[in-house]
Amino acid sequence: GGMYLCGVVGKANSTATITPLAEFSNITNNGNISTHKDSKVTADLLFAGVAGDIVMENATVVCDKLVNNGNITHNGYSNATRLAGVAAYTCTGSFTNCKNTGDLTITTGARHTSGYMGGVFGNTVYPKTMNNIVNEGAITIQDAAKEDLTFKHGYIQMYGIAYGVSMKAGDDIPTVTNCTNRGPISVGKITNATTGNGGRLYMAGLFSNIYAGNISDCTNEATGTITAKTGLWSTEYMIGGFVTYIGSNSNCTTIKITDCENKAAILCDPYIDDNNTILKGEIGGFCAEAYVDSNADTYHVEFLRAKNSGNVTVKGKFVTSGYPYFGGFMGAANYDSLFFTDCEVSGVTDMN
């Protein structure tokens, strides 16, 4: 359950078996959408320009030319927030020619415990195809005080295109092509925010995670800068210019990333006072972390002509027990079934 606040339709959901095709096409929102500073949603808030929820469990979902041009602003209180330019939550389906140009903002004074902020799609589950998906809007969490952003036992995930790429057992491997982010992504100064166990800040130019798929010809443009100034004690930072996390999955034995590039700069410059911050986590120009099952004969991640040309700059206090890993291409790589062919790093990596 939850509250749906959207420009066109709040919830498009069905479990019926009588509709083999559910098609959404040529839908545009041009209006701005916002919550009032005194609003309070104790459930989850699904907040998007076109649709809050597109879930047709037994139908083939096709979404083409869904466009949002309106700014989306969260000023109030919510338990967890899924905020996106086009659709906040999707499950299965093919997505083509979708675009967001509106700015997505969580303002100073807004309160929430965790959330997803996606330039085009918020939380994506089992997409079959994504082609020509573009974000041009800025994605921003403004400065916040301790009582505002509580970050309890959860995640803040910010990305230009979609939450992730994954698949169910027996499905065809999903394909993602020609996706581009041009919008800057930033989280402001957060003064000693309350954190719980497992709190994480995920930021990436295109995707928060990739668990399956053939990904090709996708780019985070130079305008898609990624900036983190938040100071959060006991919170893990995971920042990647293209994707935050790539992980093996028994449903997809091989993940391929071909002709993809991050051109944007990454700046991690956390707010520091006497009580915080010790920085920990993974930061990489292309990918924050890739984790592949130890059975290298079964699971593989292949990078072909993947590039990072954006500078990576990291500042702050560090602790070795917090495993701070920083790299021009990848922050951390676990196990040996990662394959790199004709990959390139031309950006500068600097820690000070």
Side-chain angles (χ1 to χ4, degrees):
M3 176 178 177
Y4 299 80
L5 181 61
C6 308
V8 178
V9 59
K11 186 174 184 178
N13 184 280
S14 175
T15 59
T17 60
I18 59 174
T19 306
L21 176 65
E23 185 173 358
F24 305 84
S25 61
N26 296 294
I27 301 172
T28 299
N29 174 63
N30 293 316
N32 297 332
I33 307 169
S34 64
T35 56
H36 190 272
K37 65 181 180 64
D38 295 326
S39 64
K40 185 173 183 178
V41 180
T42 56
D44 293 355
L45 174 63
L46 286 84
F47 197 10
V50 175
D53 187 325
I54 300 176
V55 179
M56 302 290 174
E57 294 183 11
N58 298 307
T60 299
V61 176
V62 176
C63 295
D64 181 58
K65 298 184 180 67
L66 305 185
V67 178
N68 175 62
N69 298 315
N71 296 329
I72 301 174
T73 307
H74 183 31
N75 300 296
Y77 171 90
S78 62
N79 179 42
T81 305
R82 296 180 182 137
L83 192 156
V86 171
Y89 183 85
T90 65
C91 184
T92 71
S94 298
F95 305 90
T96 57
N97 306 309
C98 297
K99 185 176 183 178
N100 174 63
T101 66
D103 293 338
L104 281 58
T105 307
I106 294 178
T107 62
T108 299
R111 300 184 64 186
H112 59 125
T113 59
S114 63
Y116 305 87
M117 293 183 71
V120 182
F121 300 110
N123 191 352
T124 49
V125 180
Y126 310 134
K128 296 183 181 299
T129 61
M130 290 186 188
N131 179 49
N132 194 30
I133 310 298
V134 177
N135 176 60
E136 296 180 348
I139 304 167
T140 306
I141 296 178
Q142 296 179 348
D143 295 355
K146 177 179 179 180
E147 63 270 16
D148 295 331
L149 184 63
T150 54
F151 227 146
K152 291 179 180 177
H153 306 282
Y155 300 83
I156 298 295
Q157 305 200 40
M158 306 170 71
Y159 36 87
I161 299 298
Y163 167 69
V165 185
S166 59
M167 62 180 286
K168 293 188 294 186
D171 282 357
D172 292 336
I173 296 175
T175 59
V176 179
T177 55
N178 298 305
C179 297
T180 304
N181 176 58
R182 300 188 181 99
I185 304 171
S186 64
V187 56
K189 182 178 75 173
I190 300 174
T191 309
N192 197 23
T194 304
T195 59
N197 295 328
R200 291 182 178 178
L201 172 65
Y202 280 17
M203 301 177 75
L206 275 82
F207 305 103
S208 186
N209 57 67
I210 296 173
Y211 289 104
N214 294 320
I215 322 293
S216 63
D217 299 297
C218 297
T219 305
N220 187 30
E221 297 286 357
T223 51
T225 55
I226 300 174
T227 306
K229 291 184 175 293
T230 180
L232 297 173
W233 180 266
S234 79
T235 295
E236 181 180 356
Y237 295 71
M238 297 186 71
I239 304 174
F242 186 87
V243 58
T244 305
Y245 180 83
I246 301 173
S248 64
N249 186 302
S250 60
N251 297 331
C252 181
T253 58
T254 301
I255 299 170
K256 295 182 179 180
I257 299 177
T258 306
D259 294 318
C260 294
E261 182 174 4
N262 173 58
K263 299 180 180 180
I266 296 173
L267 170 62
C268 184
D269 184 13
Y271 168 77
I272 296 173
D273 62 18
D274 292 338
N275 297 316
N276 65 313
T277 294
I278 297 176
L279 185 64
K280 61 182 180 179
E282 299 87 34
I283 299 173
F286 189 91
C287 173
E289 180 183 359
Y291 179 92
V292 182
D293 190 278
S294 57
N295 187 346
D297 294 331
T298 304
Y299 303 112
H300 303 84
V301 178
E302 300 177 5
F303 298 88
L304 176 61
R305 297 183 297 276
K307 299 179 181 180
N308 174 52
S309 54
N311 295 338
V312 178
T313 303
V314 181
K315 302 180 180 181
K317 300 177 183 178
F318 306 95
V319 58
T320 54
S321 61
Y323 47 89
Y325 305 128
F326 314 126
F329 188 88
M330 187 176 295
N334 293 295
Y335 298 114
D336 57 0
S337 48
L338 302 173
F339 299 90
F340 302 87
T341 304
D342 297 327
C343 296
E344 179 181 326
V345 174
S346 57
V348 175
T349 304
D350 180 49
M351 183 179 75
N352 55 49

